[in-house]
Amino acid sequence: MAAASSSENPDDEKPAHVPAEDTPAASVSGSSFTGPTALLVGSGVQNNTFLMGSSQVTWPHRVGVVPRQADCFQHRAPVDQLATAVTAGETAVVCQVLAGMGGVGKTQLAAHYAHQMWDSRQVDLLVWITAGSREQIQTGYTITAVDVAGADQGDPAAAAERLLAWLAETEKRWLVVLDDLADPADLAGLWPPDRPGGRVVVTTRRRDAALFGPGRRRVDVGIFTEAEAVAYLAATLAAHGRAEPVDQLAALSADLGHLPLALAQAAAYLLDLDLDAPTYRARLADRSRTLTDLAPSALPDDQPAPVAAVWSLSIDRAHQQRPVGLARPLLESAALLDPNGIPEIVLTSPPALRYLASRRPVPEKRRRRWRRSRLSPVSANDARDALRVLHRLSLIDHNPTSPAQTVRIHQLLQRAVRETLPPDGQHAAGRAAADALMAVWPEVERDTTLAQTLRTNTDTLHTTAPDPLWQPDTHRVLFRAASSLGNAGLATAAIDRYHHLADTAHHRFGPDHPDTLTTRHNLAYWQGEAGDAAGAATAFEQLLTDHLRVFGPDHPNTLTARHNLAYWQGEAGDAAGAATAFEQLLTDRLRVLGPDHPNTLTTRNNLAYWRGQARANVSGNERS
């Protein structure tokens, strides 16, 4: 007969507690007369329009300010993708859309390409436009149309149409760069035309379907590889006569998530304050310092914003998109969890939806009629739609078709979001995230990958927002994550985790707090599961003494401690002692719980088993 295991899950013994790449605006380069140009637009019979070029233009001609190439520019995969894809277009415009999150260097890649095309005389007209709004695009088009097509600068809409017609008919080779496009709708009716000698590069944080399709090719721009990040840091420091060990540069780049913008600003900070990499890393790890505190006084490479602010406009824009008011609180939840993979089911669970509803702003016209207790409901589909909004604006990576359906988010974006939360806001977000993890955690962990992911997210939450997990009490997700290690066959790791939890609970709550005693209970249980039955029996004996003093003899936790003491006493070799202990426990179970309670029946089962073991031991000894 197999040994009866302890049927009372240590998790269940805890009393329930519910609780930019922005660039300067376009300007006009100097020019001089080289003779008029004219294009005939029409059939040649009727409805013809003659577009006269400016008598002041000289070729090649440039409109707008192309950002200078970044110091220590790194040649990486998108450079080759951009060059190959664009130069492959011989009969039509090949429009390249550089898409990626803020800070990955899209503008610098576009500027590098524009400088290459201009310096090698592969274009006659280079137009660089900051595309933050439709007005900015029309302004850039107007300036260009006045220069090359003789347009009236007083009518921007007509000037834009005139430029597009000119681009469609000219034999000149041209390149139009639309940098940092904020909204695909801003380009409606303003896309440069397909033309054999024309090329278009768009940089944007957006990933909307409207940006891509026939004639427009997407080039995804991501973070540096580790090698690129280390090479960049080494080159930047070397340019100032500095050097750091490669392993320290690798560690620093990892701390910054290999984000090009962050690496550039970190290098400037190091040089300005004459710090080494370990010192900077220590400051970065210091939670009392914000990202703003770690920004250099003067930003390198004409960067317009420090890392802490580079995503703020994207977050504001996402928050205003349908479903309105959900993107920011959803990002707050994601900012506390594992950047490398958050299961979608966590962010769409009932506790997560309740948090979104609590943070969703009430429309002004309805605010007076609503009570605080009446929150606008948020559905799982609303949350999924908000995830897609964040994905489209490159604030997260969300792949709903993958088996895991995970959400990924850059670690520095997470920190920037966390730093905007006041203490009470972080507590609410942290508690909601913990509730969400518990809500989706299966009782039986058949999916080992999901269990590992949930453990990792719990660990991250405990690091990013520890206080919400210990106030006003110990959140059950900490016990579930620790026991999950044991369930995965990692009993030693479970013991280590419970040792840490026990020390923390003792420090926060004192020795007699129910959470402290529950943690000790679980520690003793996994000590026995790891093979130390005698040690587990000793630990439960000590725990029983404290339970009797704190809870009294008939408390469920006291009875559970007696149950586990008897069980591990038998596992340690004292079958007769275990049988006696279960016999005494059964008497109290019957008195307190009655004969039909599951725990009473479990006690009877264990009593029968250990009586059998005791008789077998006696018989074996007599035969020997």
Side-chain angles (χ1 to χ4, degrees), residues 266-311:
Y269 187 88
L270 283 175
L271 294 167
D272 286 348
L273 298 183
D274 195 25
L275 303 177
D276 58 15
T279 302
Y280 179 87
R281 293 184 62 211
R283 293 190 180 189
L284 184 65
D286 182 358
R287 297 180 62 190
S288 67
R289 296 177 185 266
T290 66
L291 290 176
T292 300
D293 295 333
L294 297 171
S297 299
L299 301 179
D301 299 325
D302 300 325
Q303 294 168 0
V307 168
V310 74
W311 300 289

Side-chain angles (χ1 to χ4, degrees), residues 528 531-538 564-575 578 610:
D532 184 8
T538 300
N564 283 282
L565 170 57
Y567 174 79
W568 290 113
Q569 187 176 356
E571 288 292 313
D574 185 5
W610 289 111

Side-chain angles (χ1 to χ4, degrees), residues 453-574:
T453 301
L454 294 175
R455 291 195 299 269
T456 302
N457 275 272
T458 303
D459 292 346
T460 302
L461 178 60
H462 199 200
T463 299
T464 58
D467 287 344
L469 297 183
W470 292 98
Q471 295 176 359
D473 52 21
T474 310
H475 199 285
R476 279 178 55 83
V477 76
L478 294 177
F479 296 120
R480 178 60 63 87
S483 293
S484 178
L485 287 169
N487 294 333
L490 304 172
T492 301
I495 292 171
D496 291 342
R497 182 65 56 85
Y498 273 119
H499 268 301
H500 175 71
L501 294 178
D503 290 342
T504 305
H506 188 279
H507 174 73
R508 284 179 174 265
F509 306 129
D512 294 339
H513 191 277
D515 289 353
T516 305
L517 297 173
T518 297
T519 308
R520 288 174 56 193
H521 175 108
N522 284 279
L523 174 59
Y525 174 85
W526 286 109
Q527 189 174 355
E529 289 294 310
D532 184 8
T538 300
F540 274 115
E541 186 176 11
Q542 296 169 348
L543 184 64
L544 177 59
T545 300
D546 292 329
H547 275 191
L548 288 167
R549 176 173 52 81
V550 174
F551 299 125
D554 294 339
H555 192 278
N557 287 4
T558 303
L559 297 176
T560 298
R562 289 175 60 188
H563 174 104
N564 283 282
L565 170 57
Y567 174 79
W568 290 113
Q569 187 176 356
E571 288 292 313
D574 185 5

